[in-house]
Amino acid sequence: MAEFTMELNDEQKEVRDWLHGFAADVIRPAAAEWDEREETPWPVIQEAAKVGIYSLDFYAQQYFDPTGLGIPMAMEELFWGDAGIALSIVGTGLAAVGVLANGTEEQIGTWIPQMYGDANDVKVAAFCSSEPDAGSDVASMRTRAVYDEAKDEWVINGTKTWATNGGIANVHVVVAVVDPELGSKGHASFIIPPGTEGCSQGQKFKKHGIRASHTAEVILDNVRVPGSCLLGGKEKLDERLARARERAKAGGERVKNAAMATFEASRPAVGAMAVGTARAAYEVALDYAKTREQFGRPIIDNQGVAFQLADMRTQIDAARLLVWRASWMAVNGKPFTAAEGSMSKLFASETAKKVSAQAIQILGGNGYTREYPVERMHRDSAIYTIFEGTSEVQRLVIARTLSGMAIR
């Protein structure tokens, strides 16, 4: 077990500086253009693939870093560059985590490489959980998967929404109901292979922020996939469902479902994304405050501005520490007895919104225009308090964990 430390080792520092250079030299110069175009920045993703950032190997190295700091460090640097483009680069990772968390070794080896493609032919993947009537309330999910035993196929019908890379993905990972009577415990995850008939893109959303990241509905109309596309396999599913039924009869302990397992593994990483955006906005505001003069002196000479910047930096550092702690706990198998994963995501998300708003205020009228990046950073930061569990849901998770009560 790696000891918790706030000091990066030499290898981690080298990776951090490499990522920072890519974010500064490749992502930032393209950020405003792709935000305006509201399109997937394929050229930037391809550049990331060429240098090895958009690849299974890179994320595997960070994912298996024994300190747990590889992924949050990478997320912070890329999202410091730009949230929309960075999400286009890392969005495939959520689907990959879904396979890693629930799939067999054969499924991991078969499907994750197809999610990324290669530097000459980049691909993306999508994780599809949310539905029009089932966002935070996963128990209301309606997408249904029915097993056709005669053909050893699963037939999937439903509509997914808010799917990053939805419809344009080479591989979709879809969460569906296999036993409606078990509620959220009756869910399973499925691979939808490339070119599967009946899987199509629905509405593409025009968003407030992270506009360079493709977000759309995914329509599943009598989609048939082989039995081997059930993540974890049918034997494991049948065993899990049997245990859930027994516990339901006895009124026993709750069981995690496939979607929640994926979200729990990724929440500290979302917190790191928020830290990157907050840090970027803070740095713009700090530089501006040092050079912008009013009444014959830089505006940072005024306590009203200086104290804001002091608070901003304090909140960013506190958020990073919560993210690093949760990430270290997760990789070392430490139980989240106080919902530390949700804490990290909650505090970092709220910090990004607050810090980016303060940055606009410090820049004044300039901060409200698209000539300066804090306007975009503030729009981007709003998503962190919404996706992968709203701030309200994070507070609910924390409160339930601390109290042991079924707080609603």
Side-chain angles (χ1 to χ4, degrees), residues 55-320:
S55 71
L56 171 62
D57 288 344
F58 173 72
Y59 287 106
Q61 289 173 13
Q62 306 316 309
Y63 186 84
F64 292 111
D65 181 339
T67 70
L69 302 185
I71 288 293
M73 178 189 65
M75 295 301 105
E76 179 177 339
E77 293 305 326
L78 292 173
F79 280 74
W80 172 89
D82 176 69
I85 291 178
L87 190 56
S88 288
I89 293 173
V90 307
T92 293
L94 185 57
V97 168
V99 176
L100 285 168
N102 303 297
T104 64
E105 289 187 9
E106 182 179 356
Q107 289 169 331
I108 291 169
T110 298
W111 295 111
I112 292 184
Q114 295 187 50
M115 294 179 174
Y116 289 95
D118 57 48
N120 296 316
D121 185 22
V122 294
K123 306 291 185 183
V124 294
F127 181 75
C128 308
S129 177
S130 294
E131 298 183 2
D133 296 317
S136 299
D137 182 12
V138 295
S140 296
M141 191 176 295
R142 296 180 181 176
T143 296
R144 186 75 192 277
V146 177
Y147 185 56
D148 183 344
E149 188 170 359
K151 295 184 178 180
D152 185 27
E153 292 180 340
W154 288 89
V155 184
I156 307 174
N157 283 282
T159 299
K160 294 296 181 179
T161 194
W162 310 122
T164 298
N165 298 328
I168 66 170
N170 194 47
V171 176
H172 291 79
V173 178
V174 172
V175 181
V177 178
V178 294
D179 188 333
E181 294 183 0
L182 292 176
S184 62
K185 304 176 187 69
H187 295 175
S189 292
F190 299 85
I191 292 287
I192 310 296
T196 299
E197 186 175 351
C199 179
S200 63
Q201 179 182 310
Q203 175 187 5
K204 177 186 174 182
F205 296 104
K206 298 180 75 66
K207 305 186 299 295
H208 176 65
I210 55 167
R211 295 197 222 174
S213 174
H214 176 96
T215 310
E217 291 181 330
V218 176
I219 311 300
L220 303 156
D221 183 13
N222 284 323
V223 170
R224 283 184 169 268
V225 297
S228 60
C229 287
L230 167 64
L231 289 181
K234 193 165 188 306
E235 182 178 347
K236 183 178 178 181
L237 172 66
D238 289 342
E239 292 174 357
R240 179 169 63 82
L241 294 178
R243 290 195 300 271
R245 292 186 190 105
E246 288 300 316
R247 290 189 176 102
K249 289 179 182 178
E253 62 182 293
R254 301 173 66 187
V255 182
K256 295 177 184 177
N257 62 68
M260 288 300 100
T262 299
F263 288 138
E264 287 181 6
S266 60
R267 275 174 179 159
V270 176
M273 298 173 189
V275 171
T277 299
R279 186 182 116 213
Y282 158 77
E283 289 176 1
V284 173
L286 177 62
D287 289 344
Y288 186 88
K290 288 178 178 179
T291 58
R292 172 69 167 173
E293 291 191 0
Q294 290 288 280
F295 305 105
R297 60 180 183 178
I299 62 173
I300 199 171
D301 281 356
N302 299 295
Q303 282 189 1
V305 174
F307 284 7
Q308 280 194 74
L309 289 163
D311 286 343
M312 291 158 74
R313 176 58 186 267
T314 300
Q315 290 158 2
I316 291 167
D317 281 13
R320 183 185 296 109

